Amino acid sequence: MSEKLSRQQIYDRIRATSKDSYVLEEMQRLGFWESSDTPSLSEVLIKREVAANQELNNLLAQDRKYQNQEAMLKEMRKARMKLAKEKREQTKQKNKQKKDDKAEAWKDTQQQQIVYLGEGVSGGLNEIESAIESLQRFNLPVFENLSDFASALGTDLSALRYLLYQRKVSRINHYHAFQIPKKSGGKRTITAPKQKLKRLQLWVLENVLNRIQINHHVHGFIKERSIVSNARPHLQKDIVINVDLKDFFPSISYKRVKGFFHKLGYSEQLSTIFALICTYAETEKVEMDGVNYYVQKGNRFLPQGSPASPAISNLIAYKLDKKIQGLAAKFNFTYTRYADDLTFSTSKENEKNIASLLFFLKKIIEVEGFAIHPAKTHIMRKGNLQKVTGIVVNQKLNVQRVQLRKFRALLHQIEKEGWKDQKWGNAKYLINAIEGYINFVKMVNESKAMVFKAQLTSILAKHGHPPVEQAVVEEESKIIAEEKATEVKIETPLKTDTEAKQYDWWNVL
C-alpha cells in the first residue's frame, strides 16, 4: 500500500504540474482511469497542459532570474557610484588639506626664510650652509638662520624682501641719484641710499667689512689713513706717476661682491643678501598715467654714495694691489693707492723702467677686471709741480700755492662785501665748501688752516651764514621728507669686547 501523501506534499505536486494532472494521476493510480497505449483526448490535453505549465514556469523562473540580475547590476552600479562619490569627496578634502598645509608651510617659510628675490639673483637662496670656521678666523658674525641675521640688523624678513627685491620695473627706488661736478670737468653721478637701506649698509660696514685687514699700500677710506699718508711715501722723489682707474666702482659688479662675501665664508644665501644690500642697478625714471616708474637700465654694481662701497672696493682690489706691489718692487717703484688713484714714484736713474711698468700695469689691471683711464696718466718730474691726491710732494707736503691764493682772495672778498655772488668752484653750499677746504688744508698744514678758520669765524660774526638758493632748499626739503617717511631704526647689536683679529685674508682662504 503506497504511503499516504500529506496535505503539503499534495499542494507541492499540484504546483509542480496542475490540478487536473494530479487528479488524473491519482485516478489512474487508484484504478478509476484505465491507462492504454492510446490515451483519451482529455488525458492528452492534461499532459500537454502540464508540459506547457512546466515550460511556462521555467520561462518565468528565467525571467525572474534575469530581472534579479538587472536589479543586482543596478544596485552594484549604485553602490559603485556612491563609493566613487565618497572617494572623490575624500580626495577633494585630502587635496584641500594638502593645499592648506602647503599654504601654512609657505607662510612659515616666509617668516623664517627668503626663497625668492627676483630674476637673476635667487639661484643660491636655498644654499644656507656657511663655512663657520672661516668666519670665526676673521671674527665675523655667524648666524644660525636668516631670522637671526635679520634680528641682528634690527629688522625682519619682510623688510629685507621689500628693500632687496630685484625688479626690472618698479614704483620703488631705494636711492637718491644726483650729480656733482668733477675737478677735471664733467659730472659725477652719486647714488646715495635712502635711510632704511643706508642703515643696513652701515651695519655691514661696521660688523663685517671693518673687521678685515686692508693692504698697507691702500690709504683711501681707512681709519688713521688719509690723502696725507697716501702722499707721504712719494715725497721728494725724482719721478711721480699718477694712474687713474676708469669707472672704479661701476667695474665692481654684483657677482664680484657676492663672490667676495662667499669667499669670506658666508653661505650662498647670505652672500646674495649682502650683495643686494651693497649694490645698485642704474634706473631711468618714467612717468605713465601720473605714476612714476623706475626702469632698470643694466646690471647691479657698487654705487658711489653707499657707506659700504669704499671698503668693499678696497677688499675686492686686494689681489690687484698685491700684484701691482710686486710689479712695482720688481722695477724699483714705490706704490700706493687711494680709491681709484694709483701712484708710483722712483729715482731719476730708474726712468728707463717707466715704459715696462706701465705696460705690465695695464695687463694686471685688465686681468683683475678694471681699466686705466686713458686721459689720466701723468708723469711728473722733479722741477715741475708734483701732486699726489691733491697734495704737493716736491719738497714737503703742502697745498698748491695757486689754490691757496685763490682761497685767501675769496675769504677777503667775502669779509669785505658779504656772501652775495661769491663762489668756490661749483659748490651748492658755499659755507660747506669753505669749511671742507679748510679741513683739507689742516691735514697738510695746520698753522695755515688755523688762520683760515679764524678768518671764517670773523666772517660769520660779521655777515652771518650765507643764504641758500631756493632750489637747493626745496631739493633738500624733498629729500628730508622722503627720508622721514621711510625711516626705520636698525640697531647694530653685534659687539665684541676684544679687538677683531687681523688676517691676510686672501692668503688664509
Side-chain angles (χ1 to χ4, degrees):
M1 186 174 180
S2 61
E3 184 180 356
K4 187 178 179 179
L5 297 175
S6 66
R7 185 184 294 273
Q8 183 62 45
Q9 289 174 327
I10 293 172
Y11 286 155
D12 292 341
R13 285 186 63 182
I14 291 173
R15 277 198 301 269
T17 57
S18 69
K19 183 179 179 181
D20 291 339
S21 176
Y22 172 72
V23 172
L24 177 62
E25 288 176 0
E26 284 299 305
M27 289 179 70
Q28 288 177 345
R29 184 176 66 81
L30 295 174
F32 293 105
W33 195 313
E34 292 189 2
S35 178
S36 65
D37 293 336
T38 304
S40 64
L41 182 59
S42 60
E43 181 182 358
V44 172
L45 291 175
I46 291 171
K47 287 183 178 180
R48 287 184 177 179
E49 181 185 14
V50 170
N53 286 334
Q54 288 178 345
E55 186 177 356
L56 177 61
N57 289 335
N58 290 335
L59 290 173
L60 290 173
Q62 288 179 358
D63 185 60
R64 285 193 298 271
K65 183 178 179 181
Y66 175 77
Q67 289 179 352
N68 290 338
Q69 286 179 345
E70 285 291 319
M72 182 176 65
L73 290 173
K74 186 176 181 181
E75 288 297 323
M76 289 175 63
R77 285 195 294 270
K78 187 176 180 181
R80 283 200 303 269
M81 289 177 66
K82 181 180 179 182
L83 184 63
K85 186 176 181 180
E86 291 175 351
K87 190 173 182 180
R88 284 197 301 269
E89 185 62 27
Q90 290 175 358
T91 303
K92 182 179 178 181
Q93 293 298 325
K94 186 177 180 181
N95 290 338
K96 183 177 182 300
Q97 186 62 43
K98 285 174 65 177
K99 185 178 180 180
D100 292 342
D101 292 344
K102 187 176 181 180
E104 189 65 28
W106 175 249
K107 184 178 178 181
D108 293 340
T109 299
Q110 289 287 86
Q111 293 174 349
Q112 300 176 15
Q113 292 292 337
I114 294 178
V115 297
Y116 189 75
L117 284 173
E119 183 180 352
V121 299
S122 302
L125 289 175
N126 60 335
E127 301 291 337
I128 61 175
E129 294 296 325
S130 295
I132 295 177
E133 291 184 1
S134 176
L135 295 174
Q136 289 174 339
R137 281 202 303 269
F138 301 119
N139 196 28
L140 297 178
V142 178
F143 307 100
E144 290 290 331
N145 51 55
L146 200 54
S147 296
D148 288 345
F149 171 75
S151 297
L153 271 66
T155 185
D156 55 34
L157 299 189
S158 177
L160 280 179
R161 289 189 198 94
Y162 167 75
L163 290 170
L164 306 182
Y165 198 91
Q166 163 88 354
R167 295 178 177 88
K168 298 295 183 183
V169 180
S170 176
R171 293 174 62 181
I172 302 167
N173 188 7
H174 297 298
Y175 284 83
H176 297 295
F178 55 92
Q179 292 183 326
I180 61 173
K182 294 181 180 180
K183 291 181 180 179
S184 57
K187 300 279 187 178
R188 185 189 304 277
T189 300
I190 301 297
T191 46
K194 295 179 182 178
Q195 196 67 21
K196 289 182 181 180
L197 187 59
K198 184 178 180 180
R199 290 182 184 274
L200 298 186
Q201 293 173 352
L202 285 170
W203 187 95
V204 175
L205 175 65
E206 293 299 325
N207 294 277
V208 178
L209 303 174
N210 284 351
R211 297 190 181 193
I212 305 171
Q213 184 183 23
I214 302 294
N215 193 307
H216 69 274
H217 304 291
V218 181
H219 296 266
F221 315 107
I222 301 173
K223 189 177 181 180
E224 298 180 356
R225 302 184 201 178
S226 65
I227 56 174
V228 175
S229 65
N230 182 67
R232 187 173 287 115
H234 308 288
L235 186 63
Q236 297 181 357
K237 295 293 184 72
D238 293 325
I239 300 171
V240 177
I241 304 173
N242 282 337
V243 176
D244 188 82
L245 296 179
K246 183 180 180 181
D247 298 327
F248 184 49
F249 281 5
S251 298
I252 301 176
S253 65
Y254 161 83
K255 289 184 178 180
R256 295 181 75 175
V257 177
K258 178 184 174 182
F260 158 71
F261 283 104
H262 192 50
K263 196 170 184 67
L264 287 178
Y266 284 109
S267 66
E268 283 277 335
Q269 183 188 63
L270 286 175
S271 298
T272 298
I273 291 173
F274 276 126
L276 289 172
I277 288 174
C278 298
T279 59
Y280 158 83
E282 186 180 359
T283 60
E284 181 177 355
K285 186 177 179 181
V286 177
E287 184 177 342
M288 184 179 297
D289 297 329
V291 179
N292 290 329
Y293 295 92
Y294 299 91
V295 181
Q296 185 172 322
K297 295 174 64 176
N299 297 322
R300 300 180 72 94
F301 55 86
L302 275 187
Q304 298 194 48
S306 163
S309 291
I312 292 175
S313 68
N314 282 337
L315 291 165
I316 286 181
Y318 186 94
K319 291 176 73 174
L320 172 72
D321 292 322
K322 279 283 189 179
K323 291 180 179 180
I324 293 178
Q325 171 56 27
L327 176 69
K330 180 177 180 179
F331 289 109
N332 297 318
F333 284 84
T334 299
Y335 166 67
T336 64
R337 179 174 66 82
Y338 191 98
D340 56 357
D341 291 327
L342 283 60
T343 304
F344 303 86
S345 59
T346 190
S347 63
K348 185 176 180 180
E349 293 75 15
N350 197 38
E351 187 172 2
K352 61 182 182 296
N353 288 323
I354 292 177
S356 298
L357 173 76
L358 294 178
F359 174 81
F360 289 109
L361 176 66
K362 184 173 183 293
K363 298 293 184 184
I364 291 173
I365 289 172
E366 289 175 350
V367 167
E368 291 300 318
F370 298 99
I372 293 178
H373 198 299
K376 293 187 178 181
T377 298
H378 304 285
I379 301 175
M380 298 167 285
R381 292 175 172 81
K382 197 170 185 178
N384 296 319
L385 179 66
Q386 294 175 322
K387 288 196 305 179
V388 176
T389 49
I391 298 176
V392 179
V393 294
N394 291 70
Q395 296 298 324
K396 62 179 181 178
L397 299 182
N398 208 344
V399 181
Q400 190 175 358
R401 278 180 284 186
V402 173
Q403 197 76 355
L404 282 173
R405 283 197 295 268
K406 289 181 179 180
F407 189 70
R408 287 194 191 97
L410 172 68
L411 293 182
H412 176 74
Q413 196 71 16
I414 295 173
E415 190 169 18
K416 181 180 177 182
E417 300 180 2
W419 295 101
K420 187 178 180 181
D421 298 329
Q422 304 297 337
K423 291 184 179 181
W424 181 247
N426 295 310
K428 289 183 178 180
Y429 300 93
L430 181 58
I431 183 66
N432 290 349
I434 290 174
E435 289 177 340
Y437 187 76
I438 292 174
N439 289 331
F440 165 70
V441 174
K442 183 178 179 181
M443 288 191 294
V444 183
N445 191 322
E446 187 171 0
S447 61
K448 289 181 181 179
M450 295 307 293
V451 173
F452 291 147
K453 184 70 175 176
Q455 193 172 359
L456 177 60
T457 301
S458 175
I459 290 172
L460 292 174
K462 183 177 180 180
H463 300 288
H465 279 75
V468 181
E469 292 183 10
Q470 184 62 29
V472 175
V473 173
E474 291 176 355
E475 180 182 354
E476 186 177 67
S477 299
K478 182 180 178 181
I479 292 173
I480 292 173
E482 189 174 3
E483 292 291 346
K484 286 183 177 180
T486 59
E487 187 172 3
V488 63
K489 187 176 182 181
I490 299 177
E491 303 292 344
T492 56
L494 289 184
K495 296 180 181 178
T496 178
D497 295 332
T498 59
E499 287 292 328
K501 295 181 180 179
Q502 300 296 313
Y503 289 92
D504 188 345
W505 67 277
W506 278 101
N507 292 336
V508 170
L509 295 175

